Amino acid sequence: MSSAGGEGPEAGPGRAGGRSEPEAPGSALSVDLPGLLGQLARSFALLLPVYALGYLGLSFSWVLLALGLLAWCRRSRGLKASRLCRALALLEDEEQAVRLGVRACDLPAWVHFPDTERAEWLNKTVKHMWPFICQFIEKLFRETIEPAVRGANAHLSTFSFTKVDVGQQPLRVNGVKVYTENVDKRQIILDLQISFVGNCEIDLEIKRYFCRAGVKSIQIHGTMRVILEPLIGDMPLVGALSIFFLRKPLLEINWTGLTNLLDIPGLNGLSDTIILDIISNYLVLPNRITVPLVSEVQIAQLRFPIPKGVLRIHFIEAQDLQGKDTYLKGLVKGKSDPYGIIRVGNQIFQSKVIKENLSPKWNEVYEALVYEHPGQELEIELFDEDPDKDDFLGSLMIDLIEVEKERLLDEWFTLDEVPKGKLHLKLEWLTLMPDAANLDKVLADVRADKDQAIDGLSSALLILYLDSARNLPSGKKINSNPNPLVQMSVGHKAQESKIRYKTSEPVWEENFTFFIHNPKRQDLEVEVKDEQHQCSLGSLRIPLSQLLTSDNMTINQRFQLSNSGPNSTLKMKIALRVLHLEKQERPPDYQHSAQVKRPSVSKEGRKMPIKSQMSASPGGANTAPSTPVMGVNDKPAMEEKPQPPEASPLGHRDLGRSSSSLLASPSHIAAKEPTPSIASDISLPIATQELRQRLRQLENGTTLGQSPLGQIQLTIRHSSQRNKLIVVVHSCRNLIAFSEDGSDPYVRMYLLPDKRRSGRRKTHVSKKTLNPVFDQSFDFSVSLPEVQRRTLDVAVKNSGGFLSKDKGLLGKVLVALASEELAKGWTQWYDLTEDGTRPQVIT
């Protein structure tokens, strides 16, 4: 009884709880309903792709691919956040960060270099000024950038910055180096190792499309050069201030909103590269920001000075390299497939790959501009090409000041950071001469005095300063301002200016350079175009021989444009400089050796090889070009690895553009294309080499016909009424089979020298046929006098499927359009060849 009575008080609450139980489930259900629905939605979202793949009969590997991409994305974002936290910790307390084991590559510059000084007084000053600097940046965004973006396109008329907060962390100077030797006495040169790690918030929106995006953090690390020149005897003692980066800075951005998609692996590198290209257009050598402090200073000369010289690099051979290839899980050691990466400032070249050779011979020659030799070095790295990650074979850094002193160096250099290996280089320092006294001798040295070629070793350098234009016509629409840009070309080399929006009197203030093979035979062709309507606003043709008889080989005037308005003019300053090698008299027992610098970044801190850093995005049009050339007696080499067609070396028709840092830049888009040669077929694009190899396999002891790659039928004519070149692609016949199922051909066309994406024309793809019929018509907006100076580049390619390796070149033809019959037109069959040269017309 007592037990029963004891149970009464305990059971009472239980029964009371039992009476309240019907209410508890109802209340719990009402609280968890959103969570339950969210779980069902997530489960449905996960199962729907699996069901869709099964319903469509697709492979399950797509699910694995999506999961792999998701894991890669999460890992990439985690690593980026980790790097941001580590950099913030370093800025807040250097000593504590070092004690916690910061990597050597993250340490400030004064730790590595004894001639680099700390600048804590400058950092304290910047920290005190930072709130006012932030106010200036916000004003710049809202009053300058925002109106410019709105006026660039009608779709961006509602663009606005909703929030501009640069953050509380100020810009930091990790070290300062002042140059006191080998500099002009009327200038002061400082190198600032800058670092900005900011938790900024920059939000923008386009109200018209309900689009919001932004940036939540930015990292920028690089070497900024500050030049104070000229020094004068009156206050403020300095005539002007010039600021620029010696090379592209390291940039990392965390996105928010819609632009968060740019953090996806693959897209994050692409977005950072595009932004770096924009920065390069304004702040990477030879571009600079110049602030005049005295009104009498010649601002144009300070913004775009003439290069100090040209470095001709003979990349000859190497010996005793390491064998990196292994077989049977390392039991059997093989050789290496070496290639070289060469960099001078922001100009990068890649040699061809020599297969299975520890003593490779390249025999390649490159030419590069040198603007600031104090602080610039010739940097070379050798790698062993592998399918996944290329192995490091050694590096070399040579001070360009020593090369300038010696003028000519022909030596074997020992490679750094590896136990063995040496490299044979021949370096020539070419001085820029303002007169034509030595031109005939230089032409004879580069063999440009007898041949009619317009490519090869350079005898001169053309420097062009594009100032402004006046009274440009309105273009296609009457009473509407055009979006003008200027295209300039010398031979097959072309560059273009930035676009100026909605103006008939644009101001560019840009500098361009061209390497010239023979100034007596070559011309500078200039065309002003309306970017919006792709029509010509005027053109100009200047024979370079005219500069040879000008004072100081320089012309500075306003040029009247032809095929334009009656008062349309273009103001330019053009200078020609002869590239002269000054041979110094040396005693027979003279010993010289260039100073070889040791790399400041250890091998463990080294990033991916520069071959995988070459961006495919177009770079700034005003970056200094660098011309690769080769000996004309070199024979074709078959050691090169087949690579994807159309992989643009350095991503641009101008080979010196858009390249990341050699030692500290993330891997973006693989571009395994060597820098092509213009004087020998030893470094032709890999697609051509691959096609030649396929031809040899097809031949296999038999004699191929007169057209082994097949033929293409084209109709070409120029319409004077429409002011357009019309090309009709009819059909192809007897193409080679790219696989067992035949080929999936299509036709791609460019009107050289324009190889922009907007200038490309493509047909549809014909599936599994060797005799495709297209019957498609294409047009190019170009005048008749202009088109007769152009060349039509027609390539037949195999498409292949998505993620397919069966993509490549099937044949090519280059059609010269300098014909009087172009207005009437013609229809003909053309033989396809490997590189498009010497096409045979089939009547």
Side-chain angles (χ1 to χ4, degrees):
M1 294 295 294
S2 62
S3 63
E7 288 176 1
E10 295 177 2
R15 287 190 297 268
R19 285 191 299 268
S20 63
E21 279 179 3
E23 297 177 8
S27 61
L29 184 60
S30 62
V31 171
D32 293 335
L33 183 59
L36 181 60
L37 292 176
Q39 173 121 17
L40 289 174
R42 285 193 294 272
S43 302
F44 179 75
L46 290 174
L47 294 176
L48 180 61
V50 179
Y51 172 78
L53 289 175
Y55 181 78
L56 297 176
L58 299 178
S59 172
F60 186 73
S61 59
W62 287 101
V63 178
L64 299 179
L65 181 63
L67 292 175
L69 182 62
L70 180 61
W72 187 19
C73 181
R74 289 183 175 178
R75 180 176 178 273
S76 176
R77 293 177 64 85
L79 291 176
K80 183 177 290 188
S82 171
R83 289 193 296 269
L84 177 63
C85 293
R86 187 168 62 247
L88 283 171
L90 178 65
L91 290 181
E92 290 174 358
D93 191 343
E94 285 184 3
E95 183 177 357
Q96 182 66 20
V98 172
R99 288 177 179 176
L100 293 177
V102 179
R103 298 180 306 170
C105 60
D106 289 331
L107 291 175
W110 55 267
V111 176
H112 297 292
F113 307 105
D115 55 351
T116 300
E117 305 173 11
R118 298 189 67 179
E120 286 304 312
W121 64 271
L122 183 57
N123 289 322
K124 292 177 182 178
T125 304
V126 172
K127 184 176 182 180
H128 187 72
M129 296 173 58
W130 189 246
F132 304 96
I133 296 175
C134 293
Q135 292 178 17
F136 167 75
I137 294 176
E138 182 175 1
K139 185 178 179 181
L140 178 68
F141 271 77
R142 297 191 183 278
E143 297 184 4
T144 303
I145 299 178
E146 185 175 304
V149 174
R150 286 184 174 182
N153 194 297
H155 298 286
L156 300 177
S157 59
T158 57
F159 174 89
S160 64
F161 288 102
T162 58
K163 185 176 183 180
V164 179
D165 182 7
V166 187
Q168 302 301 318
Q169 288 291 342
L171 177 76
R172 183 172 179 81
V173 180
N174 294 327
V176 178
K177 180 178 180 180
V178 181
Y179 289 90
T180 57
E181 298 179 356
N182 301 305
V183 296
D184 193 334
K185 293 182 179 180
R186 297 191 62 193
Q187 66 177 194
I188 297 174
I189 300 179
L190 303 92
D191 281 351
L192 308 180
Q193 307 290 335
I194 67 167
S195 178
F196 176 66
V197 184
N199 288 324
C200 59
E201 291 186 41
I202 302 176
D203 297 331
L204 58 92
E205 69 173 348
I206 304 174
K207 296 181 180 179
R208 181 176 180 180
Y209 300 104
F210 305 100
C211 173
R212 294 186 178 183
V215 174
K216 63 180 179 181
S217 68
I218 298 177
Q219 287 193 60
I220 299 178
H221 308 275
T223 301
M224 177 174 285
R225 172 156 294 186
V226 179
I227 300 180
L228 308 175
E229 67 170 342
L231 301 180
I232 55 180
D234 298 321
M235 293 302 293
L237 301 180
V238 178
L241 177 71
S242 299
I243 303 173
F244 56 89
F245 284 101
L246 286 173
R247 63 189 64 169
K248 286 186 179 180
L250 178 64
L251 175 70
E252 192 166 284
I253 300 175
N254 281 347
W255 303 92
T256 61
L258 182 63
T259 50
N260 202 29
L261 295 173
L262 296 178
D263 269 334
I264 297 176
L267 289 181
N268 60 348
L270 179 61
S271 61
D272 291 354
T273 302
I274 293 174
I275 294 173
L276 273 177
D277 287 335
I278 296 173
I279 294 175
S280 300
N281 287 345
Y282 296 94
L283 270 177
V284 177
L285 192 70
N287 308 298
R288 60 188 71 194
I289 292 178
T290 302
V291 181
L293 304 178
V294 179
S295 59
E296 291 80 10
V297 174
Q298 295 183 0
I299 191 70
Q301 183 177 356
L302 291 175
R303 282 179 178 169
F304 308 107
I306 292 179
K308 299 292 191 299
V310 170
L311 182 65
R312 183 174 290 160
I313 307 159
H314 297 257
F315 192 64
I316 303 175
E317 59 181 326
Q319 285 186 0
D320 198 25
L321 298 179
Q322 287 182 290
K324 291 289 187 177
D325 293 339
T326 58
Y327 307 96
L328 299 178
K329 295 186 177 181
L331 296 178
V332 179
K333 291 187 177 181
K335 298 183 179 181
S336 293
D337 306 325
Y339 69 92
I341 297 295
I342 305 161
R343 194 187 77 177
V344 178
N346 208 36
Q347 304 159 86
I348 298 181
F349 313 93
Q350 177 181 326
S351 74
K352 65 179 181 292
V353 178
I354 306 296
K355 302 292 286 185
E356 298 183 357
N357 198 327
L358 299 181
S359 298
K361 293 184 179 181
W362 291 283
N363 292 319
E364 296 184 345
V365 184
Y366 304 99
E367 294 174 339
L369 299 177
V370 180
Y371 282 89
E372 297 286 336
H373 52 295
Q376 275 194 308
E377 299 87 22
L378 169 64
E379 305 177 40
I380 300 177
E381 286 186 327
L382 299 184
F383 291 96
D384 166 38
E385 184 179 60
D386 286 324
D388 46 6
K389 181 180 179 181
D390 296 347
D391 296 317
F392 179 70
L393 294 178
S395 65
L396 188 66
M397 293 181 67
I398 300 176
D399 195 340
L400 294 184
I401 295 179
E402 300 299 321
V403 180
E404 183 187 14
K405 289 179 181 178
E406 300 293 341
R407 302 294 176 179
L408 176 64
L409 284 173
D410 190 351
E411 291 187 12
W412 284 91
F413 296 90
T414 302
L415 295 173
D416 293 324
E417 300 187 273
V418 287
K420 62 177 183 177
K422 54 184 180 179
L423 181 64
H424 185 195
L425 298 174
K426 180 181 177 183
L427 306 176
E428 298 175 348
W429 181 271
L430 305 178
T431 306
L432 276 60
M433 307 296 292
D435 58 76
N438 298 315
L439 179 60
D440 292 335
K441 182 180 181 301
V442 172
L443 291 175
D445 291 340
V446 301
R447 301 179 183 179
D449 54 341
K450 296 180 180 180
D451 58 27
Q452 298 292 325
I454 59 175
D455 291 325
L457 291 173
S458 302
S459 64
L461 181 70
L462 180 68
I463 303 124
L464 187 152
Y465 174 63
L466 177 64
D467 187 280
S468 59
R470 287 183 182 174
N471 303 318
L472 293 180
S474 58
K476 287 187 175 182
K477 293 184 178 181
I478 302 176
N479 298 327
S480 65
N481 288 325
N483 297 338
L485 63 89
V486 180
Q487 293 181 346
M488 295 142 288
S489 63
V490 178
H492 297 311
K493 305 165 191 174
Q495 300 184 56
E496 68 178 32
S497 71
K498 300 184 183 72
I499 303 170
R500 294 294 180 254
Y501 293 97
K502 305 296 182 182
T503 177
S504 60
E505 297 196 356
V507 176
W508 287 284
E509 294 183 342
E510 297 182 56
N511 187 58
F512 303 88
T513 51
F514 293 89
F515 283 106
I516 307 300
H517 182 58
N518 189 342
K520 294 183 177 181
R521 297 194 182 104
Q522 293 182 261
D523 300 331
L524 170 65
E525 299 178 6
V526 182
E527 183 178 14
V528 184
K529 301 186 73 173
D530 182 4
E531 186 271 340
Q532 183 177 4
H533 300 104
Q534 290 296 314
C535 63
S536 176
L537 301 177
S539 60
L540 179 66
R541 186 186 185 96
I542 304 174
L544 298 184
S545 57
Q546 182 179 343
L547 288 164
L548 298 176
T549 57
S550 302
D551 184 27
N552 200 32
M553 292 204 297
T554 303
I555 298 177
N556 185 8
Q557 68 180 57
R558 284 196 172 274
F559 297 88
Q560 180 68 41
L561 294 173
S562 59
N563 301 318
S564 185
N567 299 318
S568 299
T569 59
L570 186 67
K571 186 178 181 181
M572 296 187 297
K573 181 179 180 180
I574 309 172
L576 188 68
R577 295 294 181 263
V578 176
L579 302 180
H580 178 58
L581 176 62
E582 298 178 2
K583 296 182 180 178
Q584 300 182 3
E585 297 295 332
R586 303 289 190 187
D589 57 345
Y590 177 78
Q591 298 290 331
H592 64 266
S593 178
Q595 180 180 356
V596 179
K597 293 188 174 184
R598 301 295 172 182
S600 60
V601 180
S602 64
K603 185 178 177 182
E604 288 74 13
R606 186 180 305 276
K607 302 292 183 181
M608 295 292 291
I610 196 68
K611 183 177 72 169
S612 60
Q613 299 172 18
M614 296 179 180
S615 171
S617 63
N622 53 351
T623 305
S626 39
T627 304
V629 291
M630 304 242 353
V632 294
N633 296 326
D634 291 338
K635 297 181 180 179
M638 301 308 168
E639 295 89 350
E640 298 166 65
K641 182 177 179 180
Q643 298 173 10
E646 296 260 32
S648 174
L650 306 185
H652 204 278
R653 59 180 174 272
D654 191 329
L655 299 169
R657 298 185 187 177
S658 159
S659 332
S660 306
S661 171
L662 186 69
L663 299 177
S665 180
S667 165
H668 296 327
I669 299 175
K672 294 188 176 182
E673 186 85 12
T675 306
S677 167
I678 56 177
S680 169
D681 61 353
I682 195 169
S683 289
L684 283 172
I686 289 302
T688 302
Q689 296 289 344
E690 186 181 29
L691 185 57
R692 287 181 176 175
Q693 185 176 3
R694 189 176 295 113
L695 263 181
R696 287 192 295 271
Q697 294 174 354
L698 290 174
E699 186 175 5
N700 196 20
T702 63
T703 302
L704 296 177
Q706 191 176 16
S707 305
L709 295 179
Q711 300 159 353
I712 183 172
Q713 187 183 34
L714 303 173
T715 294
I716 304 174
R717 69 179 181 90
H718 186 272
S719 172
S720 57
Q721 295 179 348
R722 300 171 58 189
N723 204 31
K724 290 184 177 182
L725 175 70
I726 300 173
V727 181
V728 181
V729 181
H730 294 287
S731 61
C732 300
R733 63 188 182 190
N734 303 325
L735 299 179
I736 62 174
F738 210 91
S739 63
E740 295 179 357
D741 297 329
S743 297
D744 299 335
Y746 69 94
V747 179
R748 184 271 301 148
M749 291 183 292
Y750 286 112
L751 190 59
L752 299 180
D754 183 9
K755 296 195 71 173
R756 295 177 301 165
R757 188 178 184 87
S758 60
R760 183 174 61 185
R761 307 290 187 269
K762 289 173 59 176
T763 67
H764 64 263
V765 178
S766 293
K767 294 290 186 179
K768 298 180 181 179
T769 177
L770 303 182
N771 299 285
V773 177
F774 301 102
D775 286 331
Q776 288 185 252
S777 178
F778 303 92
D779 58 70
F780 298 86
S781 296
V782 60
S783 63
L784 182 59
E786 172 67 18
V787 76
Q788 291 180 335
R789 300 193 297 266
R790 301 288 194 94
T791 301
L792 183 65
D793 179 356
V794 183
V796 183
K797 297 191 168 186
N798 186 67
S799 174
F802 182 63
L803 299 178
S804 172
K805 295 182 179 180
D806 292 335
K807 296 182 180 181
L809 183 66
L810 295 174
K812 193 174 182 181
V813 60
L814 296 175
V815 183
L817 301 177
S819 173
E820 297 179 356
E821 302 295 326
L822 189 59
K824 298 180 181 178
W826 63 80
T827 300
Q828 291 176 345
W829 284 94
Y830 292 89
D831 279 353
L832 296 172
T833 61
E834 309 96 288
D835 54 5
T837 58
R838 298 183 302 276
Q840 300 177 7
V841 178
I842 308 301
T843 58

